[in-house]
Amino acid sequence: MFLKSFLNFFGLEGGTRPHIANIARPKMLLNYAAFFLFRKFNLIKLPYGPINLMVEVSTKCNLACPACERELFREELGGLPIQNVKLENIQRLAPILRDVYSAYLVSGLGEPFLNPEFWDIHRFFKTFKVKTGYFTNATFLTPDLVQKTFNEKVNAVLVSIDSFDQVKYSSIKKGSELENAKKYVRLFAESKKKRKAHYFSLGLNFIFRRDNYRHILDYLDFAKSLGVDFIHCSSLIVHREKDRDLSFFLVEDCEKQAIFREAEKKAARLKIGLRLPNLEVFQKNTCGYLWRCLSIFYNGDVCPCPFFRTSRDFYYHVVEGNLVDKRLHVSDCIVGNYLNEGIEAIWNGSKMQSLRKTILGKEKCSPCNSCYFKYDLH
């Protein structure tokens, strides 16, 4: 309990939680220590570099999930970009990688294994002994790829499995087979145990929607049967009017609280890590992204936040401390492009500093003045 409170106080979760094999690097250790010491001071210009990176490696995907952000791009944002990130571009991140603790190849709009240079990109990060992880829809996994994941010393894999029910799963992940995904998640778990790979974490991604939130209790049993370490839960991000009825925010607060309490108790009993979104707005919270993270996109754009890579309409906002249902046009939070300017300069550039001031209430701008993500409500 004390350890959890300690880690939460300093915002040390996910990509910033210490792992001895990756933190024992002189430059990185100094950078991490500075982050640790100064994080709670909410400085505008930071005396340390980014701690972790979210790196998009592809905007290509073989699936057509109905509520995916890809559909928003396709219908309203001038077309879906279809491109793989090149290793030669990623190599331009080298100036900050000796300081960076972790890099997650989250793929953004796509599936990472559709990029033929995926493993070359991963190896590049590993030359700096960076903690790494990737997110996958599991459709391209093979026994060889599972073993390669361990051979290449990947630290974490998050698999997107939206439902344990075949019919529901197929309706969300069109073109994907649940049994195939389950097979490879089990293989990851078995391989971790066989190899005694204590450095490796295996997780499932679950998205709360109005039509599935009660399933989380059975989903925990499902996760336990597959041998996973944790479940990462978030809420459906609503961009389009047609998806509005699916929003988890339409569920009564008392109902959500009851489900969450049961889920937390069950997860503790099953010994599975469970990350749940907050249900209340915490006024004193500040957005962790702006003080520790950079999101790197396929075209070189850099954002502190992975959610606002482009200007668009968006539902559900925090206004004067209250969560409201309102459609607003929200600006992007692009702070630079690392292919055109130094990544180190972007980290403490004028745009990043302006966004930090916004979070602290010293300035107002879109998207941060109405963003509910900084309160972990997603």
Side-chain angles (χ1 to χ4, degrees), residues 35-54:
F35 162 75
F36 181 85
L37 290 172
F38 291 102
R39 172 63 187 95
K40 284 298 176 179
F41 290 97
N42 291 327
L43 301 177
I44 304 301
K45 187 173 182 179
L46 305 181
Y48 57 87
I51 301 301
N52 60 296
L53 304 178
M54 310 275 280

Side-chain angles (χ1 to χ4, degrees), residues 95-359:
I96 63 168
L97 291 186
R98 294 192 188 281
D99 296 337
V100 167
Y101 172 58
S102 61
Y104 289 89
L105 309 182
V106 293
S107 197
L109 294 174
E111 163 60 33
F113 290 119
L114 282 170
N115 188 336
E117 290 191 290
F118 173 80
W119 287 114
D120 294 325
I121 290 171
H122 179 266
R123 285 188 205 104
F124 173 69
F125 284 106
K126 279 301 184 184
T127 61
F128 295 89
K129 297 183 180 178
V130 171
K131 179 182 178 182
T132 58
Y134 67 75
F135 183 98
T136 179
N137 62 30
T139 56
F140 290 100
L141 291 176
T142 65
D144 286 345
L145 268 181
V146 170
Q147 300 312 318
K148 192 175 184 67
T149 295
F150 289 97
N151 294 338
E152 299 285 345
K153 298 297 181 182
V154 176
N155 296 90
V157 169
L158 187 63
V159 182
S160 177
I161 299 184
D162 296 271
S163 176
F164 51 81
D165 178 77
Q166 178 63 62
V167 175
K168 189 81 172 174
Y169 179 86
S170 297
S171 70
I172 297 172
K173 292 200 169 316
K174 298 181 184 299
S176 181
E177 290 293 331
L178 177 59
E179 288 304 316
N180 190 65
K182 288 164 57 177
K183 177 174 72 173
Y184 288 114
V185 171
R186 284 196 186 98
L187 184 55
F188 272 122
E190 292 165 1
S191 298
K192 174 183 178 177
K193 186 175 181 180
K194 183 177 180 180
R195 290 171 175 254
K196 298 181 180 179
H198 304 298
Y199 64 88
F200 179 80
S201 294
L202 174 63
L204 298 182
N205 190 61
F206 181 85
I207 299 176
F208 282 110
R209 298 159 37 134
R210 191 184 189 184
D211 61 347
N212 78 344
Y213 70 93
R214 293 187 183 90
H215 298 175
I216 186 60
L217 299 177
D218 290 332
Y219 194 91
L220 280 160
D221 291 319
F222 169 73
K224 181 68 175 180
S225 72
L226 298 180
V228 305
D229 301 306
F230 67 95
I231 301 172
H232 182 277
C233 300
S234 59
S235 300
L236 178 69
I237 302 171
V238 179
H239 305 288
R240 304 177 302 168
E241 186 70 31
K242 67 174 70 175
D243 298 325
R244 203 167 179 185
D245 287 344
L246 294 174
S247 176
F248 186 47
F249 287 101
L250 298 180
V251 178
E252 292 290 334
D253 284 347
C254 59
E255 175 75 3
K256 289 187 284 193
Q257 290 167 359
I259 289 292
F260 277 20
R261 282 195 299 269
E262 287 187 62
E264 287 174 333
K265 289 178 183 177
K266 189 166 188 176
R269 190 166 66 250
L270 296 176
K271 297 182 179 179
I272 293 177
L274 180 65
R275 187 272 184 193
L276 294 170
N278 290 321
L279 297 177
E280 299 178 32
V281 175
F282 295 104
Q283 296 287 2
K284 294 183 179 180
N285 273 15
T286 54
C287 176
Y289 286 115
L290 283 156
W291 278 267
R292 64 172 171 82
C293 183
L294 287 177
S295 292
I296 314 292
F297 296 106
Y298 78 101
N299 59 354
D301 283 346
V302 178
C303 297
C305 168
F307 303 109
F308 294 103
R309 62 190 292 164
T310 185
S311 298
R312 62 186 188 267
D313 288 340
F314 188 67
Y315 292 92
Y316 301 98
H317 299 263
V318 175
V319 177
E320 297 181 352
N322 297 307
L323 188 64
V324 299
D325 170 11
K326 186 178 181 181
R327 180 172 181 163
L328 293 176
H329 187 76
V330 181
S331 299
D332 64 64
C333 64
I334 296 171
V335 292
N337 188 295
Y338 80 95
L339 301 179
N340 301 327
E341 56 189 308
I343 189 73
E344 294 168 299
I346 292 173
W347 174 244
N348 265 323
S350 60
K351 291 184 178 179
M352 279 291 284
Q353 290 190 44
S354 178
L355 288 175
R356 290 179 188 130
K357 289 178 183 177
T358 300
I359 294 297

